[in-house]
Amino acid sequence: MSLTVPNDLLDQAKAGEVDDEAFLACVRDSLPYAWSLISDLVKQREQSGAEFADNQVPPPSEEARGQLLRCMASDSMRGALERHYGVRLAFQNCHRVAVFDPTATKALADFVTPRAQILNQKPELVDC
């Protein structure tokens, strides 16, 4: 299961729309590695002023890898994180998450090309 959903959030979902802040709290509490990694990348990008910041360090465990994969594979989680931080997210392999300034359309387009994906492949990442 991706998220550990508190009863009050489940009740909110059954009654209608889910509040972004409540959903984000659920993501943060359920997937702490993914939340922390993305939060840190947001800070790095803001401090550097660069168009994007990315992670190139594999997760420390399979549990952490699973959290990151679940978070990045979910359109709703990615969308909520993008709205919360005011960024665009992109993902390659099993751990290369990138946080983009929303105006960095060329940098984002370059990051998500087949060429970029191929150039990011390494033998040590074959199991991800």
Side-chain angles (χ1 to χ4, degrees):
M1 182 166 13
S2 298
L3 299 174
T4 303
V5 181
N7 287 333
D8 60 332
L9 185 57
L10 183 58
D11 291 342
Q12 189 181 76
K14 288 177 182 177
E17 291 298 313
V18 172
D19 171 82
D20 250 6
E21 290 305 313
F23 181 59
L24 286 164
C26 181
V27 172
R28 181 193 64 230
D29 295 345
S30 300
L31 306 172
Y33 173 78
W35 180 273
S36 176
L37 178 63
I38 292 166
S39 297
D40 289 347
L41 289 172
V42 167
K43 290 175 193 165
Q44 287 176 25
R45 198 210 61 75
E46 288 173 349
Q47 291 172 350
S48 71
E51 289 186 304
F52 74 97
D54 64 329
N55 174 62
Q56 297 200 24
V57 178
S61 68
E62 287 305 309
E63 179 183 349
R65 183 186 318 272
Q67 287 185 26
L68 189 58
L69 290 172
R70 287 191 300 277
C71 186
M72 296 306 295
S74 167
D75 290 339
S76 61
M77 285 189 248
R78 285 175 68 165
L81 286 162
E82 287 177 337
R83 289 188 300 278
H84 177 70
Y85 288 116
V87 299
R88 292 286 312 271
L89 296 173
F91 189 55
Q92 289 183 357
N93 292 342
C94 54
H95 66 272
R96 190 171 181 208
V97 175
V99 172
F100 288 83
D101 182 288
T103 64
T105 54
K106 179 161 179 8
L108 175 60
D110 289 345
F111 187 88
V112 299
T113 63
R115 178 180 185 268
Q117 182 69 47
I118 295 295
L119 292 174
N120 190 49
Q121 301 305 296
K122 297 176 181 141
E124 61 270 19
L125 299 177
V126 75
D127 70 338
C128 78

CSV table of all heavy atoms in Angstrom, one decimal, residues 76-103:
chain,number,residue,atom,x,y,z
A,76,SER,N,-1.5,12.0,-8.7
A,76,SER,CA,-2.1,12.8,-7.6
A,76,SER,C,-1.0,13.3,-6.6
A,76,SER,O,-1.1,14.4,-6.2
A,76,SER,CB,-3.2,12.1,-6.9
A,76,SER,OG,-2.8,10.9,-6.3
A,77,MET,N,-0.1,12.4,-6.2
A,77,MET,CA,0.9,12.8,-5.3
A,77,MET,C,1.9,13.8,-5.9
A,77,MET,O,2.2,14.8,-5.3
A,77,MET,CB,1.7,11.6,-4.8
A,77,MET,CG,0.9,10.8,-3.8
A,77,MET,SD,2.0,9.5,-3.0
A,77,MET,CE,1.2,8.0,-3.7
A,78,ARG,N,2.3,13.5,-7.2
A,78,ARG,CA,3.2,14.4,-7.9
A,78,ARG,C,2.6,15.8,-8.0
A,78,ARG,O,3.2,16.8,-7.8
A,78,ARG,CB,3.6,13.9,-9.2
A,78,ARG,CG,4.6,12.8,-9.1
A,78,ARG,CD,4.9,12.2,-10.4
A,78,ARG,NE,5.6,13.1,-11.3
A,78,ARG,CZ,6.2,12.7,-12.4
A,78,ARG,NH1,6.3,11.5,-12.8
A,78,ARG,NH2,6.8,13.6,-13.2
A,79,GLY,N,1.3,15.8,-8.4
A,79,GLY,CA,0.6,17.0,-8.6
A,79,GLY,C,0.5,17.8,-7.4
A,79,GLY,O,0.6,19.1,-7.4
A,80,ALA,N,0.1,17.2,-6.3
A,80,ALA,CA,0.0,17.9,-5.0
A,80,ALA,C,1.4,18.4,-4.6
A,80,ALA,O,1.4,19.6,-4.1
A,80,ALA,CB,-0.5,16.9,-3.9
A,81,LEU,N,2.4,17.7,-4.7
A,81,LEU,CA,3.8,18.2,-4.4
A,81,LEU,C,4.1,19.4,-5.3
A,81,LEU,O,4.7,20.4,-4.8
A,81,LEU,CB,4.8,17.1,-4.5
A,81,LEU,CG,4.8,16.1,-3.4
A,81,LEU,CD1,5.5,14.8,-3.8
A,81,LEU,CD2,5.4,16.6,-2.1
A,82,GLU,N,3.8,19.3,-6.6
A,82,GLU,CA,4.1,20.4,-7.5
A,82,GLU,C,3.4,21.7,-7.1
A,82,GLU,O,4.0,22.8,-7.1
A,82,GLU,CB,3.8,20.0,-8.9
A,82,GLU,CG,4.8,19.0,-9.5
A,82,GLU,CD,4.4,18.6,-10.9
A,82,GLU,OE1,3.2,18.7,-11.3
A,82,GLU,OE2,5.4,18.1,-11.6
A,83,ARG,N,2.1,21.5,-6.8
A,83,ARG,CA,1.3,22.7,-6.3
A,83,ARG,C,1.9,23.2,-5.0
A,83,ARG,O,2.0,24.5,-4.8
A,83,ARG,CB,-0.2,22.3,-6.2
A,83,ARG,CG,-0.9,22.1,-7.5
A,83,ARG,CD,-2.4,21.9,-7.3
A,83,ARG,NE,-2.7,20.8,-6.5
A,83,ARG,CZ,-2.8,19.5,-6.9
A,83,ARG,NH1,-2.5,19.2,-8.1
A,83,ARG,NH2,-3.2,18.5,-6.0
A,84,HIS,N,2.2,22.4,-4.1
A,84,HIS,CA,2.7,22.8,-2.7
A,84,HIS,C,4.0,23.6,-2.8
A,84,HIS,O,4.1,24.6,-2.2
A,84,HIS,CB,2.8,21.5,-1.9
A,84,HIS,CG,3.4,21.8,-0.5
A,84,HIS,ND1,2.7,22.4,0.5
A,84,HIS,CD2,4.6,21.5,0.0
A,84,HIS,CE1,3.4,22.5,1.6
A,84,HIS,NE2,4.6,22.0,1.3
A,85,TYR,N,4.9,23.1,-3.6
A,85,TYR,CA,6.2,23.7,-3.7
A,85,TYR,C,6.3,24.7,-4.9
A,85,TYR,O,7.3,25.4,-5.0
A,85,TYR,CB,7.3,22.7,-3.8
A,85,TYR,CG,7.6,21.9,-2.6
A,85,TYR,CD1,7.3,20.6,-2.5
A,85,TYR,CD2,8.0,22.6,-1.4
A,85,TYR,CE1,7.6,19.9,-1.3
A,85,TYR,CE2,8.3,21.9,-0.2
A,85,TYR,CZ,8.0,20.5,-0.2
A,85,TYR,OH,8.3,19.9,1.0
A,86,GLY,N,5.3,24.7,-5.8
A,86,GLY,CA,5.4,25.7,-6.9
A,86,GLY,C,6.5,25.3,-7.9
A,86,GLY,O,7.2,26.1,-8.4
A,87,VAL,N,6.7,24.0,-8.1
A,87,VAL,CA,7.7,23.5,-9.0
A,87,VAL,C,7.1,22.5,-10.0
A,87,VAL,O,6.0,22.1,-9.9
A,87,VAL,CB,8.8,22.8,-8.2
A,87,VAL,CG1,9.5,23.7,-7.2
A,87,VAL,CG2,8.3,21.5,-7.4
A,88,ARG,N,8.0,22.0,-10.9
A,88,ARG,CA,7.7,20.8,-11.7
A,88,ARG,C,8.6,19.7,-11.3
A,88,ARG,O,9.8,20.0,-11.0
A,88,ARG,CB,7.9,21.2,-13.2
A,88,ARG,CG,6.9,22.2,-13.8
A,88,ARG,CD,5.5,21.7,-14.0
A,88,ARG,NE,5.5,20.4,-14.7
A,88,ARG,CZ,5.4,20.3,-16.0
A,88,ARG,NH1,5.4,21.3,-16.8
A,88,ARG,NH2,5.4,19.1,-16.6
A,89,LEU,N,8.1,18.5,-11.3
A,89,LEU,CA,8.9,17.3,-10.9
A,89,LEU,C,9.1,16.5,-12.2
A,89,LEU,O,8.2,16.4,-13.0
A,89,LEU,CB,8.2,16.5,-9.9
A,89,LEU,CG,8.0,17.1,-8.5
A,89,LEU,CD1,7.2,16.3,-7.6
A,89,LEU,CD2,9.4,17.4,-7.9
A,90,ALA,N,10.3,15.9,-12.3
A,90,ALA,CA,10.6,14.9,-13.3
A,90,ALA,C,11.4,13.7,-12.7
A,90,ALA,O,11.9,13.9,-11.6
A,90,ALA,CB,11.4,15.5,-14.4
A,91,PHE,N,11.4,12.6,-13.4
A,91,PHE,CA,11.9,11.4,-12.8
A,91,PHE,C,12.6,10.5,-13.8
A,91,PHE,O,12.0,10.3,-14.9
A,91,PHE,CB,10.7,10.6,-12.1
A,91,PHE,CG,11.1,9.5,-11.3
A,91,PHE,CD1,12.0,9.6,-10.2
A,91,PHE,CD2,10.6,8.2,-11.5
A,91,PHE,CE1,12.3,8.5,-9.4
A,91,PHE,CE2,10.9,7.1,-10.7
A,91,PHE,CZ,11.8,7.3,-9.6
A,92,GLN,N,13.8,10.0,-13.5
A,92,GLN,CA,14.5,9.1,-14.4
A,92,GLN,C,15.0,7.9,-13.5
A,92,GLN,O,15.3,8.1,-12.3
A,92,GLN,CB,15.7,9.7,-15.0
A,92,GLN,CG,15.4,10.7,-16.1
A,92,GLN,CD,16.7,11.2,-16.8
A,92,GLN,OE1,17.8,10.8,-16.4
A,92,GLN,NE2,16.5,12.0,-17.7
A,93,ASN,N,15.0,6.7,-14.0
A,93,ASN,CA,15.4,5.5,-13.3
A,93,ASN,C,14.7,5.3,-12.0
A,93,ASN,O,13.5,5.6,-11.9
A,93,ASN,CB,16.9,5.6,-13.1
A,93,ASN,CG,17.7,5.5,-14.4
A,93,ASN,OD1,17.1,5.0,-15.4
A,93,ASN,ND2,18.9,5.8,-14.4
A,94,CYS,N,15.4,4.9,-11.0
A,94,CYS,CA,14.7,4.5,-9.8
A,94,CYS,C,15.0,5.6,-8.7
A,94,CYS,O,14.5,5.4,-7.6
A,94,CYS,CB,15.2,3.2,-9.3
A,94,CYS,SG,16.9,3.0,-9.2
A,95,HIS,N,15.7,6.6,-9.0
A,95,HIS,CA,16.1,7.6,-8.0
A,95,HIS,C,16.4,9.0,-8.4
A,95,HIS,O,16.5,9.9,-7.6
A,95,HIS,CB,17.3,7.1,-7.1
A,95,HIS,CG,18.5,7.0,-7.9
A,95,HIS,ND1,18.9,5.9,-8.6
A,95,HIS,CD2,19.5,7.9,-8.1
A,95,HIS,CE1,20.0,6.1,-9.2
A,95,HIS,NE2,20.4,7.3,-8.9
A,96,ARG,N,16.5,9.2,-9.7
A,96,ARG,CA,16.9,10.5,-10.2
A,96,ARG,C,15.7,11.4,-10.3
A,96,ARG,O,15.0,11.5,-11.4
A,96,ARG,CB,17.7,10.5,-11.5
A,96,ARG,CG,18.2,11.8,-11.8
A,96,ARG,CD,19.2,11.8,-13.0
A,96,ARG,NE,19.7,13.2,-13.2
A,96,ARG,CZ,20.1,13.6,-14.4
A,96,ARG,NH1,20.1,12.8,-15.4
A,96,ARG,NH2,20.5,14.9,-14.5
A,97,VAL,N,15.4,12.1,-9.2
A,97,VAL,CA,14.3,13.0,-9.2
A,97,VAL,C,14.9,14.4,-9.4
A,97,VAL,O,15.9,14.7,-8.9
A,97,VAL,CB,13.6,13.0,-7.8
A,97,VAL,CG1,12.5,14.1,-7.7
A,97,VAL,CG2,13.0,11.7,-7.5
A,98,ALA,N,14.1,15.2,-10.2
A,98,ALA,CA,14.6,16.6,-10.5
A,98,ALA,C,13.4,17.5,-10.2
A,98,ALA,O,12.3,17.2,-10.4
A,98,ALA,CB,15.0,16.7,-11.9
A,99,VAL,N,13.8,18.6,-9.6
A,99,VAL,CA,12.8,19.7,-9.2
A,99,VAL,C,13.1,20.9,-10.1
A,99,VAL,O,14.3,21.4,-10.1
A,99,VAL,CB,13.0,20.1,-7.7
A,99,VAL,CG1,12.1,21.3,-7.4
A,99,VAL,CG2,12.6,18.9,-6.8
A,100,PHE,N,12.2,21.3,-10.9
A,100,PHE,CA,12.4,22.4,-11.8
A,100,PHE,C,11.6,23.6,-11.5
A,100,PHE,O,10.4,23.5,-11.0
A,100,PHE,CB,11.9,22.0,-13.2
A,100,PHE,CG,12.8,21.0,-13.9
A,100,PHE,CD1,12.7,19.6,-13.6
A,100,PHE,CD2,13.7,21.3,-14.8
A,100,PHE,CE1,13.5,18.7,-14.2
A,100,PHE,CE2,14.6,20.4,-15.4
A,100,PHE,CZ,14.4,19.1,-15.1
A,101,ASP,N,12.2,24.8,-11.7
A,101,ASP,CA,11.5,26.0,-11.7
A,101,ASP,C,10.4,25.9,-12.7
A,101,ASP,O,10.7,25.4,-13.8
A,101,ASP,CB,12.5,27.2,-12.0
A,101,ASP,CG,11.8,28.5,-11.9
A,101,ASP,OD1,11.0,28.8,-12.8
A,101,ASP,OD2,12.1,29.3,-11.0
A,102,PRO,N,9.2,26.4,-12.5
A,102,PRO,CA,8.1,26.2,-13.5
A,102,PRO,C,8.4,26.9,-14.8
A,102,PRO,O,7.8,26.6,-15.8
A,102,PRO,CB,6.9,26.8,-12.8
A,102,PRO,CG,7.3,27.3,-11.5
A,102,PRO,CD,8.7,27.0,-11.2
A,103,THR,N,9.3,27.9,-14.8
A,103,THR,CA,9.6,28.6,-16.0
A,103,THR,C,10.7,28.0,-16.8
A,103,THR,O,11.0,28.4,-17.9
A,103,THR,CB,10.0,30.1,-15.7
A,103,THR,OG1,11.2,30.1,-14.9
A,103,THR,CG2,8.9,30.8,-14.9
